[in-house]
């Protein structure tokens, strides 16, 4: 199957962004022809047995009592044949074929994507009607589900049928469809939705990263503290006599605000902060740091062998910022770039496997050799 080809029908990525993205839900039947699950259900169950992988099982009994159990799981036999769903977060960090599901969505920058969550549901299984605060694309893998999606509605009430399960009251669907293998559903933030499995079925949910303003502010403050660059004190050499000493005047307020905002206006600092913040993964990665550091001589040795592949860790987040100062960011680490290293950095940020001959072409100066050894020694890339 060619994962790159999404059958948009009458739409194009451009039209999708203009008409649907963050605006209204969409279903595309047969968006992927000949779709095959990139991970079999037993392998998914295996991931849910690992302690560093976030997983949960949501089940409901015939009286409508909801239960949430958190992984790691040892066995699944107690859940029976129906009315439960296993959800595993960031499966793309452990399964490269699952990570490849992201390639048709490259019309949206990779920093905006959080993870691929995979759910396996038995008949009548689901997590109930709920809202998410981020966009999601759901690819229907094997099996069938009934998906209902509504418009944002302030009159819906929040339900908490279990302390770990937030749902909403029933809503008027604007999409009500049975999804079959290869169908694609797009749900914007805060649109109520509910998926109920018809038979054993697998869904792949591409979730987006949308930082909250409070997260951004607090991480930015952490950055200032880490770098110890917010120590300069407020000053007011132009002060004139005040009229009411108990008032904070509009002028003083403005001066203090500009004093704070000056930090955000420091472009170099902001680029460093935002690059690190947006490439910092939220889920564990399969990073294997080499036992012995790879030095320049060792790298040249490796490159003398013809058929070696350089691979990025699956699910790694990387990006380049090239405005004030060119920098490559990988997993929250920054690698300063120069003109000679930009081409290699672009390949590293694109994260396609690289052959020795491709690497050799890019490895044309000491700076590139150093960039390569740094990403290898961090365990972000490895030699297959
Ligand atoms: C699911 O796959 O069952 C839940 C996905 C979602 O509602 O975001
Ligand atoms: Co959801």
């Amino acid at each position: 199957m060619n994962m790159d080809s999404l059958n948009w029908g009458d739409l194009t990525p451009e039209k999708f962004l203009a008409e649907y993205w963050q605006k209204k839900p969409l279903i595309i039947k047969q968006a992927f022809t000949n779709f095959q699950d990139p991970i079999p259900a037993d392998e998914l169950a295996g991931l849910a047995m690992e302690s560093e992988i976030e997983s949960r099982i949501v089940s409901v009994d015939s009286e409508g009592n909801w239960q949430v159990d958190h992984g790691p799981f040892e066995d699944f036999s107690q859940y029976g044949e129906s009315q439960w769903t296993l959800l595993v977060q960031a499966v793309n960090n452990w399964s490269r074929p699952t990570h490849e599901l992201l390639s048709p969505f490259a019309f949206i920058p990779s920093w905006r994507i959080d993870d691929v969550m995979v759910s396996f549901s038995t008949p009548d299984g689901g997590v109930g009607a709920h809202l998410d605060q981020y966009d999601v694309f759901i690819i229907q893998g094997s099996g069938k589900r009934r998906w209902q999606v509504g418009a944002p509605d302030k009159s819906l009430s929040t339900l908490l049928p279990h302390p770990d399960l937030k749902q909403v009251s029933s809503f008027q669907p604007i999409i009500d469809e049975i999804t079959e293998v290869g169908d694609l559903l797009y749900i914007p933030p805060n649109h109520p939705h509910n998926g109920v499995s018809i038979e054993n079925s697998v869904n792949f949910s591409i979730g987006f990263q949308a930082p909250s303003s409070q997260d951004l502010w607090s991480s930015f403050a952490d950055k200032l503290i880490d770098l110890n660059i917010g120590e300069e004190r407020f000053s007011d050499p132009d002060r004139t006599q005040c009229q009411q000493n108990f008032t904070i005047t509009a002028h003083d307020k403005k001066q203090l605000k500009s004093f704070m905002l000056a930090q955000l206006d420091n472009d170099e600092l902001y680029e460093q902060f935002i690059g690190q913040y947006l490439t910092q993964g939220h889920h564990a990665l399969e990073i294997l740091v080499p036992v012995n550091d790879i030095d320049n001589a060792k790298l040249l040795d490796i490159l003398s062998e013809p058929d070696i592949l350089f691979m990025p860790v699956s699910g790694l987040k990387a990006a380049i910022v090239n405005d004030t100062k060119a920098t490559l960011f990988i997993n929250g680490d920054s690698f300063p770039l120069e003109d000679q290293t930009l081409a290699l950095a672009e390949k590293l940020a694109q994260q396609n496997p690289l052959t020795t001959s491709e690497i050799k072409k890019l490895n044309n100066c000491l700076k590139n050799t150093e960039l390569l050894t740094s990403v290898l020694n961090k365990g972000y890339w490895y030699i297959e």
Side-chain angles (χ1 to χ4, degrees), residues 182-347:
D183 292 350
L184 177 69
L185 191 61
Y186 165 70
I187 308 173
N190 299 311
H191 283 58
H193 54 282
N194 190 16
V196 180
S197 224
I198 309 268
E199 54 193 18
N200 282 356
S201 77
V202 184
N203 272 191
F204 299 88
S205 296
I206 296 155
F208 284 80
Q209 153 161 268
S212 69
S213 161
Q214 66 182 23
D215 265 358
L216 285 165
W217 278 107
S218 81
S219 303
F220 187 67
D222 287 346
K223 181 88 188 159
L224 292 181
I225 294 164
D226 284 352
L227 297 175
N228 206 19
I229 44 179
E231 286 220 308
E232 187 204 334
R233 299 288 178 139
F234 174 75
S235 65
D236 50 0
D238 299 327
R239 183 162 297 284
T240 53
Q241 186 181 349
C242 72
Q243 301 307 316
Q244 293 182 317
N245 73 342
F246 52 85
T247 301
I248 300 168
T249 61
H251 178 75
D252 277 349
K253 223 165 55 190
K254 201 165 151 217
Q255 296 286 102
L256 282 152
K257 196 174 185 183
S258 351
F259 177 60
M260 288 175 77
L261 289 176
Q263 303 286 14
L264 277 183
D265 279 339
N266 177 341
D267 289 334
E268 217 175 287
L269 171 68
Y270 191 75
E271 271 168 33
Q272 188 68 17
F273 157 70
I274 206 70
Q276 291 185 326
Y277 180 92
L278 294 175
T279 58
Q280 184 84 67
H282 304 126
H283 311 276
L285 289 161
E286 202 172 12
I287 287 179
L288 289 175
V289 176
V291 185
N292 298 311
D293 259 14
I294 296 170
D295 60 16
N296 296 356
K298 175 102 182 280
L299 181 70
L300 293 180
D301 211 33
I302 295 164
L303 288 174
S304 68
E305 290 184 42
D307 298 319
I308 285 181
L309 262 189
F310 285 66
M311 303 288 288
V313 162
S314 190
L316 202 61
K317 294 203 190 319
I320 289 178
V321 178
N322 191 3
D323 298 322
T324 307
K325 231 176 157 189
T327 311
L328 166 67
F329 296 95
I330 305 181
N331 196 35
D333 267 327
S334 62
F335 302 87
L337 300 175
E338 290 170 60
D339 287 347
Q340 309 98 294
T341 47
L342 193 58
L344 171 63
E346 284 177 358
K347 289 283 177 195

Side-chain angles (χ1 to χ4, degrees), residues 85 87 117 119 121 127 130 132 136 138 145 147 193 203 205:
T85 300
L87 305 111
M117 190 270 286
S119 68
S121 300
V127 300
H130 66 280
D132 293 313
V136 63
I138 299 179
R145 271 186 212 187
W147 272 105
H193 54 282
N203 272 191
S205 296

Side-chain angles (χ1 to χ4, degrees), residues 129-130 155-159 167-172 192:
H130 66 280
S155 74
L156 297 181
S157 45
T158 305
L159 311 172
Q167 296 181 340
V168 286
S169 49
S170 55
F171 59 87
Q172 186 63 43

